[in-house]
Amino acid sequence: MTRAYVEAEDLRERIVEAARERFFSLGVSQVTMEELAHDLGMSKKTVYKFFTSKDELVKAVLELVKEEVERNICRITENNEMDFVQKLKSTMTYLALHYSRWSPALVQDLRRNAPHVWKQIEEFRKQKMEGCGDEIRQGIEAGVFRSDVDPKLVMRLFSHSIQTMVHPEMLSQMPYSAGQVYETIVKIIYGGMFTDDARRKFFQSETPPKEPHT
């Protein structure tokens, strides 16, 4: 790997990271390639060398986000020092923190102006939901969840709640962040599925969680 290649990759990473910060706080339409280049102390030509359009940059940012989500969830599920309930709680906490970064402006922008990108996000979300369904089945077998719980029905309820409540129009009417709404949905739905022992363990600590390192 040549020095020039490494420097180019580092520069590309800087652009993507900077774009992510701006997109997630301001939305996509409020960020221009010119402003991004200026803030990074580089020419617009340099930015366009790596990304021929803002749409391409948006896709790169979302790919980065998806990779980080996958990596952090795997880090939790592969931690042999945690039992099933602890892993579930850590996973849900991480996802809640992740949702809290999605500003209403960003979600609205993607839904209106980049529906093809939003569709990819929805498909990724659906994949994560199916993974949670598998966890519920495992939890039933392990005696963590009640045996009368239907995993498919629960995940439909969970998915619909997220789609309805973590929505820009709904969030604009409430004094809560997307993360707070998500955590409440998790508490209500998962709390109702737990056996008594698992529920006590899951909710025994309500101290603010630390975000996993990325």
Side-chain angles (χ1 to χ4, degrees):
M1 208 178 290
T2 65
R3 179 178 179 181
Y5 176 84
V6 173
E7 290 178 348
E9 284 298 300
D10 288 344
L11 188 55
R12 183 184 186 281
E13 186 177 319
R14 278 184 59 204
I15 295 171
V16 174
E17 287 286 358
R20 173 168 63 170
E21 291 299 318
R22 288 157 180 76
F23 289 160
F24 271 64
S25 61
L26 303 173
V28 175
S29 63
Q30 297 301 312
V31 179
T32 67
M33 300 290 266
E34 291 83 356
E35 292 171 341
L36 182 61
H38 179 269
D39 290 344
L40 285 167
M42 61 181 66
S43 68
K44 184 173 64 175
K45 182 179 179 180
T46 301
V47 175
Y48 278 107
K49 176 183 177 182
F50 293 95
F51 304 99
T52 58
S53 67
K54 186 162 69 171
D55 186 63
E56 187 178 332
L57 181 54
V58 169
K59 291 178 181 179
V61 168
L62 294 177
E63 279 300 314
L64 174 64
V65 170
K66 283 163 49 175
E67 289 173 4
E68 287 186 350
V69 170
E70 294 281 14
R71 184 169 60 251
N72 281 298
I73 291 178
C74 284
R75 185 178 299 164
I76 294 169
T77 57
E78 293 175 2
N79 186 341
N80 294 326
E81 296 181 359
M82 303 169 75
D83 63 21
F84 179 85
V85 174
Q86 291 171 324
K87 288 180 181 181
L88 178 61
K89 184 173 183 178
S90 294
T91 299
M92 293 299 114
T93 297
Y94 172 74
L95 288 174
L97 289 169
H98 171 70
Y99 267 100
S100 70
R101 299 194 192 95
W102 291 71
S103 69
L106 174 61
V107 176
Q108 191 82 326
D109 263 351
L110 293 175
R111 289 171 66 95
R112 286 182 177 178
N113 305 317
H116 57 295
V117 175
W118 181 252
K119 182 179 179 181
Q120 293 178 11
I121 296 172
E122 286 289 88
E123 289 175 351
F124 181 71
R125 181 196 58 78
K126 182 179 179 181
Q127 178 188 358
K128 296 296 103 181
M129 294 301 160
E130 290 175 351
C132 289
D134 292 337
E135 290 183 350
I136 293 174
R137 280 185 283 273
Q138 293 171 17
I140 292 173
E141 294 174 0
V144 174
F145 295 136
R146 292 163 36 188
S147 59
D148 60 345
V149 168
D150 184 329
K152 289 185 178 180
L153 178 57
V154 169
M155 291 321 302
R156 283 182 179 274
L157 289 171
F158 186 69
S159 178
H160 182 72
S161 298
I162 295 297
Q163 285 181 313
T164 302
M165 300 301 293
V166 186
H167 184 280
E169 293 182 5
M170 182 64 72
L171 289 172
S172 68
Q173 301 172 27
M174 302 184 296
Y176 306 109
S177 68
Q180 289 173 314
V181 172
Y182 185 86
E183 285 189 43
T184 299
I185 292 172
V186 168
K187 286 181 179 180
I188 293 173
I189 294 181
Y190 275 78
M193 293 190 299
F194 281 129
T195 59
D196 291 340
D197 288 342
R199 186 182 299 108
R200 281 192 294 270
K201 187 169 187 177
F202 190 84
F203 294 116
Q204 67 183 357
S205 175
E206 292 298 329
T207 55
K210 292 184 178 180
E211 183 177 354
H213 294 295
T214 57

